[in-house]
Amino acid sequence: MSRVMPMKKISAPAAALAVIDVSALPPHFEAAAKEAAFDAVWEKNGIYQWDPSRPRGETFVVDTPPPTVSGSLHMGHVFSYTHTDVIVRQRRMLGMNVFYPMGWDDNGLPTERRVQNIFHVRCDANAAYEPGLALPRVGDKKPTERPRIVSRKNFIELCAIVTHEDEKAFEALFRRIALSVDWRQTYATIDDRCRHLAQLSFLDLLEKKQLANVEAPTMWDVDFQTALAQADLKDVIRPGAYHDIQFAIEGSDESFVISTTRPELLPACVAVCAHPNDERFKKYFGKHAITPIFKAPVRIFASELADPTKGTGILMVCTFGDATDVTWWREQKLPTRQILGKDGRVKLVEFGTETFPSKDPLAANAAFAPLVGKNVTQAQKLVVDLLKDAAHSALAQGGSAPLQGEPKKIEHPVKMYEKGERPLEFITTRQWFVKLMPNKPVLLEKGAEVKWWPEFMHARFQNWTENLNGDWCISRQRYFGVPIPVWYPVLPDGATDHEHPLFPTPDRLPMDPMSDAPKGFTEAQRNQPGGFTGDPDVFDTWFTSSLTPQIGSHWLLDPERHAKLFPADIRPQSHEIIRTWAFYTIAKAMLHEGKVPWRNVVISGWILDPDRKKMSKSEGNVVTPMKLLEDYTSDGVRYWAASARLGMDTAFDEKVLKVGKKLVTKLFNAGKYVLGQSIGDAAIPSDASIESLITSELDRAMIHKLRAVIEKATASFAEFEYANALMATEQFFWSQFTDTYLELVKVRARGEGVDDRDRVSAIATLRLTLGVLLRLFAPVLPYITEEVWSWAFAEVRGQPSIHHAPWPTVTELATIPRPADEGSFDLAAELMTAINKKKTELGASTGRLVKTATIAVPEAKRGRLEAVLQDVLGSTRIAEHTLVVRATEGDAFVIDAMEVVPKEERAAAEH
């Protein structure tokens, strides 16, 4: 790195204005080399480390999103994580003691699916463990043989291998884009500390009576073979069809038609429902209907949840077709007739029993037999074929085929796991739940205590909370996750006693009930009558991820540290996980301590592809960042990210990356130009400050404009509007500083035709302005600003890194007098523009010498122009001029006449 090369060491101001050896610098910014070098220097010098000795009031705590470790990062990650880093860097420059950790969300279904595909394996919890198992990776070639079955322990080991590799790749990219993370504070949601805290959270909620272990209908993914929570779902538009099916009224020859998209659930029908005000069906309430094919008598009841305008206005209630079926099942105390197994296939049931009543059991069982073992699609086709046969009419005597007409094709939304491939089913299983429904009012209150940026994002939290329709299912029937710390006694008959669970004491955590025995038992008693069995389930990944503020603070493990770091100052995240990560984190903090987990939620938008679709791996439209970082530099990519407004979805546009790279280049060149300007032999008083050297009207007017930029950028950052801060700084840099001020003072800075005082004023202003601009740009462009800072400012200011330099304030410019005319800078810029425009009209370049020019000046501007006129004439290279005052021709400058030096005379004239 270049070092300051002072010409004279006669005073502090002289050192501050010392010229650097520009020839020692490379012609271009060598981005890749500098990025690697600065990352190493920052790490070695602990530039981004949190200081635990400083008080909470000086600390700025970030609850960093732990990215899901399931493949490679894409530009969407670069986009949102850069937003956080820009905010963090500015707060650090404000003198805050920043706590900025990084976590890896490495457990859960996405990781398991990735591992299954990489090694072409499937886990069987009953399979024997194979020590030292090493498996080849499948690669891009699709295997033809069945997946290899591996034990639970082997599968977890494979998951750990893959996540460790991904974490290293993720960290390398995050370092490349200069995330100013304290890498000492890294965690993984499957590591010992996170497992310990997640299990402590479980025991704490248990003690507070906020948990329930019940057997109930739960949303089930038949492919992943696990229960899910409401927040895991998405609506997907899928093809379907309405089937109009005739039902009979028990004891009469009356009938009605139900229109359903799920005829395959007809064997699971337990009731029929219509709206209480629907005149068509009022006479049937309290009676029983008879189902076709299976001849089951089912109760007819009224509910305001029934939509009279949907289908035929009356519908069948099955166990279970959707969440409303579950609601009616609970409210009406309906029987349970579950025909689908956990594998999504129809299981064997017997009609004519108490569970499955039928008026014709023989015919019902004969019709049902072909359905057994079929998946939902296959079963639906078979049931529809049966419904076309008049023999299966629900009417006691005669009757046509139960299916009335042909199915009517539609497209409709179905509930699916956000990473799944088939619609969910409601299957009765035993699960652990966190009680959210009774806590909805308090959750809404806590959500309102947090400040949401942008503010309208709070409505998403409110809407989600208000429309929550069930408690949080936190158990998952998977393997790579935090084990639920519970055992159950095994009764003498070999049955599991779920009513009297056994729990570990906190000092035994973290633990795995599948390998650790409860107190008072030995491992030999596992799964034996009179012994115990371990709960095989793991926590929903959000159960651990919702503790990220407490993971960083070491809640319950280090109370003193927790008090310093909780609640956090900001939670940065994207808007689609308000319903999951934000909601669950607020819920956990409220349930554990009655607090909010952070003071501010800062919401990023999505990156969209050219078709305005979210950029994601599942959509197959991601752009990977490495080539873009190489082509446009890390600073250029960060510029693109920081240009997007908070909370707004942004289309990916490579042209913005080009603008960012151009800005990096311009800063590099502007730095060389400014720091290469010498004060010559000008004498500077030893007791002078650099601010006191700024005496020219134009220079003071420049500083006046700089004050406004500092105020705008600072105010924007205070409200996390980093894009507005960047815009204000960038516009000033280009239009005011490089395109205007540098042009206006370049002659004076070289000392041509001016005294030392004016020359020093120009150079001092250039240096001061560049130093401020570098600091304003530093949060967004950490590499180029550190590079230019290292040339001179680091030594002169005693701040080796710009990222520990103070954020600019108007106070540091307070000793510089304001200009006599606050509009004098704009006046000079206006005249320079008018002159250059005239040159262009004459076919001359803006740098061409001018012999003479006549300038028409509005009367109101004549007196104001005098203080900056020489700078304008010098910058536009006008040898002689005449000012003509005009009182009535508007307020614009007009160049009435101009004689430029011909090209053939140019060399002589310049000489």
Side-chain angles (χ1 to χ4, degrees):
M1 298 177 192
S2 301
R3 293 178 55 82
V4 65
M5 301 174 61
M7 293 181 63
K8 296 182 178 181
K9 292 185 177 291
I10 57 174
S11 65
L17 300 181
V19 66
I20 66 168
D21 181 5
V22 175
S23 66
L25 298 174
H28 307 290
F29 180 51
E30 298 169 345
K34 291 296 183 181
E35 288 164 3
F38 279 130
D39 176 64
V41 169
W42 294 334
E43 183 68 24
K44 178 182 178 181
N45 295 337
I47 297 296
Y48 305 130
Q49 291 181 1
W50 168 65
D51 182 356
S53 68
R54 291 177 62 180
R56 178 63 177 97
E58 298 176 0
T59 303
F60 184 77
V61 181
V62 184
D63 181 19
T64 318
T68 301
V69 183
S70 57
S72 59
L73 295 170
H74 55 74
M75 287 299 286
H77 296 98
V78 172
F79 181 72
S80 57
Y81 281 87
T82 296
H83 296 167
T84 307
D85 188 66
V86 169
I87 293 168
V88 164
R89 286 180 177 278
Q90 194 267 346
R91 294 307 195 272
R92 190 180 288 113
M93 294 176 75
L94 287 176
M96 301 298 289
N97 177 30
V98 173
F99 179 78
Y100 185 19
M102 179 57 70
W104 311 119
D105 194 3
D106 46 10
N107 62 14
L109 293 175
T111 297
E112 290 197 15
R113 182 168 63 175
R114 178 165 155 75
V115 170
Q116 288 173 352
N117 293 337
I118 287 175
F119 295 104
H120 193 49
V121 295
R122 292 294 182 270
C123 178
D124 182 347
N126 297 315
Y129 174 65
E130 301 176 64
L133 178 65
L135 296 176
R137 303 188 183 220
V138 173
D140 296 331
K141 186 177 180 181
K142 191 172 182 179
T144 56
E145 69 277 7
R146 288 180 174 274
R148 172 171 179 160
I149 302 301
V150 297
S151 71
R152 176 177 180 268
K153 186 175 181 180
N154 286 128
F155 186 68
I156 290 172
E157 288 175 351
L158 293 174
C159 290
I161 291 170
V162 172
T163 54
H164 181 67
E165 293 170 352
D166 285 348
E167 287 161 12
K168 283 187 170 297
F170 282 22
E171 180 177 338
L173 177 62
F174 282 160
R175 284 182 178 275
R176 178 74 181 267
I177 64 170
L179 295 194
S180 58
V181 164
D182 182 350
W183 291 102
R184 303 173 308 163
Q185 307 296 336
T186 305
Y187 64 87
T189 54
I190 200 66
D191 67 24
D192 284 350
R193 174 159 55 91
C194 292
R195 287 189 292 118
H196 194 169
L197 287 168
Q199 291 180 340
L200 282 172
S201 170
F202 179 84
L203 295 182
D204 187 63
L205 293 175
L206 189 73
E207 183 180 353
K208 291 179 167 64
K209 302 187 185 307
Q210 296 296 331
L211 291 178
N213 180 225
V214 296
E215 188 165 355
T218 49
M219 290 171 287
W220 186 268
D221 188 288
V222 299
D223 293 317
F224 284 105
Q225 291 283 288
T226 184
L228 296 165
Q230 185 178 344
D232 297 317
L233 312 186
K234 64 179 179 180
D235 283 329
V236 179
I237 302 300
R238 298 287 289 264
Y242 273 119
H243 302 76
D244 291 345
I245 303 173
Q246 184 185 45
F247 281 61
I249 302 297
E250 187 178 36
S252 77
D253 58 359
E254 292 184 85
S255 67
F256 57 85
V257 173
I258 288 178
S259 191
T260 179
T261 60
R262 299 209 63 182
E264 72 278 9
L265 291 182
L266 187 61
C269 181
V270 293
V272 168
C273 176
H275 194 276
N277 297 330
D278 195 326
E279 296 294 340
R280 295 171 294 176
F281 307 111
K282 274 186 176 182
K283 60 183 178 179
Y284 299 141
F285 296 147
K287 296 183 178 182
H288 284 76
I290 302 297
T291 66
I293 305 177
F294 306 102
K295 305 295 194 299
V298 294
R299 181 158 58 93
I300 306 172
F301 67 92
S303 171
E304 292 187 352
L305 294 178
D307 184 354
T309 66
K310 186 175 181 180
T312 58
I314 191 166
L315 61 153
M316 63 177 184
V317 181
C318 302
T319 52
F320 297 91
D322 57 24
T324 311
D325 281 351
V326 177
T327 300
W328 283 324
W329 171 77
R330 286 199 180 102
E331 291 178 349
Q332 300 290 327
K333 296 182 171 48
L334 298 172
T336 303
R337 295 173 189 160
Q338 188 90 53
I339 65 165
L340 291 179
K342 293 179 181 179
D343 59 357
R345 294 182 178 273
V346 178
K347 60 184 184 179
L348 180 64
V349 302
E350 183 179 357
F351 284 90
T353 61
E354 183 179 353
T355 304
F356 285 87
S358 172
K359 291 185 174 295
D360 189 350
L362 192 64
N365 286 323
F368 189 80
L371 306 182
V372 177
K374 300 297 190 293
N375 62 33
V376 168
T377 303
Q378 294 166 335
Q380 183 178 107
K381 184 178 184 305
L382 290 173
V383 170
V384 171
D385 288 341
L386 291 171
L387 289 169
K388 293 177 180 179
D389 187 345
H392 295 303
S393 171
L395 295 172
Q397 305 252 340
S400 60
L403 185 65
Q404 308 288 291
E406 289 299 315
K408 302 183 230 10
K409 292 184 178 181
I410 61 167
E411 288 193 335
H412 62 146
V414 296
K415 299 292 183 186
M416 294 180 63
Y417 173 44
E418 60 183 357
K419 300 184 185 302
E421 297 175 357
R422 284 198 280 178
L424 297 177
E425 300 294 346
F426 281 83
I427 305 292
T428 299
T429 56
R430 179 171 290 278
Q431 306 290 344
W432 284 95
F433 294 86
V434 175
K435 298 176 182 178
L436 295 181
M437 297 302 285
N439 292 302
K440 283 170 68 170
V442 186
L443 282 167
L444 288 166
E445 290 175 10
K446 291 302 176 186
E449 288 182 27
V450 177
K451 295 190 73 173
W452 297 77
W453 306 88
E455 188 177 3
F456 68 83
M457 289 293 179
H458 180 213
R460 299 197 183 190
F461 175 86
Q462 287 179 303
N463 292 338
W464 173 259
T465 307
E466 289 168 352
N467 291 295
L468 198 68
N469 59 26
D471 290 331
W472 177 13
C473 178
I474 59 169
S475 46
R476 296 291 181 270
Q477 290 64 56
R478 299 304 303 176
Y479 312 102
F480 191 56
V482 178
I484 296 179
V486 180
W487 301 273
Y488 306 98
V490 177
L491 298 173
D493 63 359
T496 301
D497 182 5
H498 289 102
E499 302 305 317
H500 301 90
L502 307 170
F503 304 102
T505 53
D507 61 290
R508 291 197 63 188
L509 305 180
M511 54 79 67
D512 184 350
M514 298 299 285
S515 56
D516 299 319
K519 186 177 180 180
F521 292 83
T522 66
E523 185 61 29
Q525 294 175 278
R526 183 180 294 276
N527 300 325
Q528 299 299 313
F532 71 93
T533 188
D535 193 317
D537 294 347
V538 298
F539 288 129
D540 169 18
T541 185
W542 293 111
F543 189 81
T544 306
S545 298
S546 61
L547 286 172
T548 51
Q550 294 91 333
I551 289 170
S553 70
H554 294 195
W555 169 68
L556 294 182
L557 303 178
D558 187 341
E560 183 179 352
R561 175 183 167 114
H562 181 64
K564 286 185 176 181
L565 297 175
F566 188 91
D569 290 282
I570 62 167
R571 149 64 69 82
Q573 65 166 78
S574 58
H575 52 70
E576 83 275 15
I577 53 173
I578 288 174
R579 63 177 186 165
T580 49
W581 198 33
F583 174 79
Y584 287 143
T585 309
I586 290 173
K588 277 288 197 74
M590 181 271 291
L591 292 171
H592 286 309
E593 298 186 79
K595 296 179 179 179
V596 294
W598 1 259
R599 299 183 176 96
N600 302 278
V601 181
V602 181
I603 306 294
S604 293
W606 286 342
I607 288 298
L608 307 178
D609 67 12
D611 295 326
R612 306 297 295 178
K613 292 181 180 178
K614 178 193 175 187
M615 189 176 290
S616 68
K617 284 179 283 188
S618 61
E619 292 287 346
N621 60 353
V622 298
V623 175
T624 53
M626 290 311 298
K627 187 174 189 309
L628 296 174
L629 292 170
E630 292 165 1
D631 290 347
Y632 299 108
T633 78
S634 292
D635 282 338
V637 172
R638 286 174 62 98
Y639 168 87
W640 158 78
S643 298
R645 291 184 58 202
L646 196 65
M648 298 293 105
D649 293 343
T650 303
F652 178 73
D653 187 352
E654 207 163 331
K655 290 194 284 292
V656 182
L657 297 171
K658 294 177 182 178
V659 174
K661 185 177 182 180
K662 181 181 177 183
L663 176 59
V664 170
T665 301
K666 191 67 173 181
L667 273 168
F668 183 78
N669 292 331
K672 288 200 293 185
Y673 172 77
V674 170
L675 297 174
Q677 300 301 309
S678 169
I679 60 174
D681 296 324
I684 301 175
S686 60
D687 60 348
S689 66
I690 190 169
E691 291 80 9
S692 68
L693 303 178
I694 300 175
T695 57
S696 164
E697 171 69 8
L698 181 65
D699 301 339
R700 289 176 175 177
M702 177 64 179
I703 298 301
H704 177 65
K705 286 199 170 283
L706 185 61
R707 288 189 184 97
V709 177
I710 293 172
E711 289 175 338
K712 171 66 176 175
T714 303
S716 295
F717 264 114
E719 297 192 341
F720 307 109
E721 292 289 357
Y722 45 80
N724 290 344
L726 173 60
M727 183 186 300
T729 305
E730 184 187 11
Q731 286 179 345
F732 177 85
F733 174 75
W734 285 110
S735 64
Q736 309 293 320
F737 185 59
T738 59
D739 290 352
T740 304
Y741 182 72
L742 261 62
E743 294 300 318
L744 284 169
V745 301
K746 61 185 180 182
V747 172
R748 179 153 53 95
R750 290 197 297 265
E752 297 178 14
V754 297
D755 58 25
D756 287 346
R757 183 169 178 266
D758 285 341
R759 181 183 189 184
V760 168
S761 177
I763 294 174
T765 305
L766 287 168
R767 292 288 181 100
L768 187 64
T769 304
L770 178 63
V772 168
L773 286 170
L774 288 174
R775 286 179 285 154
L776 290 174
F777 276 126
V780 176
L781 311 173
Y783 289 118
I784 186 60
T785 54
E786 185 80 307
E787 169 69 2
V788 178
W789 185 266
S790 72
W791 296 344
F793 296 103
E795 183 172 326
V796 169
R797 294 182 62 101
Q799 296 286 350
S801 173
I802 194 173
H803 304 299
H804 274 192
W807 180 254
T809 65
V810 293
T811 304
E812 66 187 74
L813 307 178
T815 58
I816 303 173
R818 297 195 174 251
D821 179 354
E822 292 187 353
S824 58
F825 182 91
D826 293 333
L827 202 66
E830 181 187 349
L831 178 55
M832 182 179 71
T833 300
I835 294 170
N836 287 335
K837 181 181 178 183
K838 186 68 175 179
K839 286 184 178 181
T840 301
E841 291 172 355
L842 295 174
S845 67
T846 57
R848 185 78 68 85
L849 293 172
V850 176
K851 289 183 177 180
T852 62
T854 301
I855 304 170
V857 183
E859 186 174 12
K861 295 180 178 179
R862 175 64 184 90
R864 297 172 56 208
L865 183 62
E866 185 175 349
V868 296
L869 181 59
Q870 290 307 311
D871 281 320
V872 177
L873 297 174
S875 67
T876 55
R877 312 190 75 184
I878 295 178
E880 296 181 6
H881 73 283
T882 302
L883 294 182
V884 177
V885 178
R886 291 185 176 175
T888 60
E889 295 189 14
D891 61 355
F893 294 110
V894 177
I895 313 302
D896 280 340
M898 177 182 286
E899 183 183 356
V900 298
V901 176
K903 288 183 179 180
E904 58 272 17
E905 299 178 18
R906 182 174 178 180
E910 288 180 343
H911 178 73

